[in-house]
């Protein structure tokens, strides 16, 4: 799978140690989760302003796309094809997100 992973000082994300403006485009990810069952084709944590465009993700044990938190916002998901996910847990759909902790950022309304 593909991972965008940043860091923060507790809830302070103002140092900019996070992926911002990353473009994930035209990837094919399938048959993930053979060895690890908590996997996704794309996983994002402490990242923002990501563009996922034109990807094909299929045959995974859990969500095809997983956003671990709502850090910064400004993400765009467009023209992706996701199918045959959540085959082992059945507890949600092909996209999963949650927001467990508020973060301080210098990202305003999803834009820099």
């Amino acid at each position: 799978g593909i991972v965008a992973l940043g860091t923060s000082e507790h809830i302070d994300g103002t140092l900019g140690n996070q992926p911002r403006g990353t473009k994930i485009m035209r990837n094919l990810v399938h048959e993930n989760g053979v060895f690890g069952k908590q996997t996704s084709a794309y996983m994002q944590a402490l990242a923002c302003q990501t563009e996922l465009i034109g990807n094909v993700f299929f045959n995974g044990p859990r969500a095809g796309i997983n956003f671990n938190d709502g850090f910064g916002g400004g993400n765009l998901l467009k023209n992706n094809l996701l199918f045959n996910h959540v085959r082992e847990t059945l507890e949600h759909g092909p996209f999963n997100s949650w927001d467990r902790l508020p973060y301080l950022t210098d990202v305003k309304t999803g834009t820099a």
Side-chain angles (χ1 to χ4, degrees), residues 3-111:
V3 176
L5 178 62
T7 63
S8 68
E9 295 294 322
H10 305 287
I11 67 165
D12 185 357
T14 60
L15 295 176
N17 296 327
Q18 306 84 20
R20 298 177 185 209
T22 305
K23 295 183 186 319
I24 310 295
M25 301 172 65
R26 296 183 293 275
N27 294 283
L28 174 64
V29 178
H30 60 93
E31 313 309 326
N32 65 316
V34 173
F35 299 106
K37 300 304 179 186
Q38 298 291 322
T39 63
S40 293
Y42 176 75
M43 191 276 197
Q44 172 172 308
L46 292 174
C48 62
Q49 301 166 317
T50 303
E51 295 183 13
L52 278 94
I53 302 172
N55 299 288
V56 178
F57 301 151
F58 63 96
N59 290 351
R62 297 206 64 215
I65 297 174
N66 185 38
F67 283 12
N68 188 62
D69 51 63
F71 180 89
N75 301 298
L76 173 68
L77 282 73
K78 183 169 106 176
N79 298 330
N80 297 290
L81 176 62
L82 289 80
F83 62 94
N84 207 22
H85 283 283
V86 199
R87 298 186 300 171
E88 299 190 18
T89 58
L90 307 174
E91 83 269 32
H92 52 71
F95 175 81
N96 188 34
S97 68
W98 56 87
D99 193 6
R100 295 182 176 173
L101 181 68
Y103 289 95
L104 301 173
T105 75
D106 57 1
V107 179
K108 296 177 178 66
T109 64
T111 60

